[in-house]
Amino acid sequence: MSDIIERKALLFNIQKYNMYDGPGIRTIVFFKGCPLRCKWCSNPESQKRKHQVLYKKSQCDNCGACVLVCPRGVHRISSINKTHEFVKGSECLGCRKCEKACTSSALSIVGEVKTISEIMEIVEEDQAFYEMSGGGLTLGGGEALMQPEAAANLLMACKQRGINTAMETCGYARPEALMKVAQFTDLFLFDLKHMDSDLHLKLTGVRNELILSNLAKLLHNRNNVKIRVPLLKNVNDSENDILKLMDFLKPFLDYKGFKGLDLLPYHKLGVNKYKQLGWNYPMDGNPGLSDEDLERIENSIKKYNFPVSVIRH
């Protein structure tokens, strides 16, 4: 078999019948691993490029079955209080033996390695829906550009089969990796989280200069790009924040490939996953926006003649 078919990707989910992330009915393939650490991340299990254990403490009956089957010694029963705990420094192999042994469904393993051909079998199951609706495949994450060869090969395989392609991206990637996948990507859903580089660093762990440069490269290269702005109260929702965003995007308004903006209001759908990973939720307070806030921001952007939509999941 060819190298294209046999390349592998580490994923954490494949979601069918999506209507939000690109045109029509779509299948989203979620790649594991991300260079950013956004404080509001709703998929914290996507961040690390390795297998991880999600643990629902309230469901655990502390039976110790996971301890007996784990080849890496990830689990143990405390000698003090006889309850389940994780062994510090141990790494999950992804064998899923503990998941299968757990009769209370307290454990689940995040991360699965699949070949491009295995992924394509799943994607092609819904080709009739794509043709009917103008949909297709969207690469999500995490960040697919952390696995650039696998991402490029999957997108190429879709194009060879006439399937529309889209990619969600934070934009923080090597320009050569970005432009390689751009050959096979019909639409980029490109995140812009904050225009101030210092605040971007504080909020996400990286500066934004590379991100803005990569966005400009895509638009200058005539790629189709829709900007996605995650909105958080008192973080990036002020008139000044919107003005800086508009000032940056105005030169691209008449570019054929510029497809407008999607506004993504903050939500707390991923909070419980932090507990299951044993992490603290890093976002302070509740930066959710009211309908009035969203209307104000949407109207501010429309004044600059940008196509804009609010996407509510």
Side-chain angles (χ1 to χ4, degrees), residues 195-235:
M195 296 307 298
D196 183 287
S197 188
D198 290 336
L199 286 173
H200 198 282
L201 175 63
K202 182 179 178 181
L203 293 166
T204 72
V206 304
R207 292 191 171 276
N208 68 2
E209 286 84 0
L210 176 60
I211 294 169
L212 298 180
S213 173
N214 278 335
L215 173 58
K217 276 186 172 64
L218 287 175
L219 289 167
H220 287 308
N221 197 52
R222 300 182 181 180
N223 294 103
N224 294 320
V225 181
K226 178 169 280 191
I227 306 301
R228 296 198 132 184
V229 184
L231 284 174
L232 297 93
K233 186 76 171 178
N234 298 322
V235 173

Side-chain angles (χ1 to χ4, degrees), residues 270-299:
V271 171
N272 284 334
K273 296 177 187 177
Y274 286 84
K275 295 177 183 177
Q276 293 173 27
L277 288 167
W279 299 355
N280 293 322
Y281 186 61
M283 196 73 212
D284 296 327
N286 181 12
L289 291 100
S290 67
D291 289 340
E292 291 75 16
D293 290 325
L294 293 171
E295 185 177 0
R296 168 182 57 82
I297 295 167
E298 187 177 7
N299 288 336

Side-chain angles (χ1 to χ4, degrees), residues 36 38 40 143 167-172 178 188-197 199-201 203-204 206-219 225-232 235-237 241-252 258 260-265 297 301 306:
L36 273 60
C38 301
W40 59 88
E143 174 54 63
M167 173 184 282
E168 297 177 323
T169 181
C170 68
Y172 194 83
L178 177 65
F188 284 94
L189 303 170
F190 198 107
D191 282 2
L192 285 184
K193 302 173 193 297
H194 210 291
M195 296 307 298
D196 183 287
S197 188
L199 286 173
H200 198 282
L201 175 63
L203 293 166
T204 72
V206 304
R207 292 191 171 276
N208 68 2
E209 286 84 0
L210 176 60
I211 294 169
L212 298 180
S213 173
N214 278 335
L215 173 58
K217 276 186 172 64
L218 287 175
L219 289 167
V225 181
K226 178 169 280 191
I227 306 301
R228 296 198 132 184
V229 184
L231 284 174
L232 297 93
V235 173
N236 63 351
D237 68 319
D241 292 324
I242 302 305
L243 178 60
K244 288 182 178 179
L245 176 64
M246 295 297 98
D247 283 344
F248 179 80
L249 293 176
K250 269 191 289 188
F252 305 113
F258 182 79
L261 296 90
D262 283 343
L263 306 180
L264 311 177
I297 295 167
I301 293 172
F306 283 96

Side-chain angles (χ1 to χ4, degrees), residues 53-67:
V53 184
L54 290 176
Y55 172 57
K56 298 177 182 178
K57 185 176 181 179
S58 62
Q59 294 181 206
C60 180
D61 58 16
N62 303 300
C63 68
C66 55
V67 179

Side-chain angles (χ1 to χ4, degrees), residues 158-178:
C158 283
K159 295 309 295 177
Q160 290 170 345
R161 291 160 175 79
I163 296 174
N164 179 273
T165 59
M167 173 184 282
E168 297 177 323
T169 181
C170 68
Y172 194 83
R174 292 181 295 110
E176 56 270 27
L178 177 65

Side-chain angles (χ1 to χ4, degrees), residues 12 33 51 66 93 118 120 122 138 192 203 218 235 296 307:
F12 72 93
H51 294 93
C66 55
L93 181 66
E118 288 171 334
M120 284 303 300
I122 298 170
T138 298
L192 285 184
L203 293 166
L218 287 175
V235 173
R296 168 182 57 82

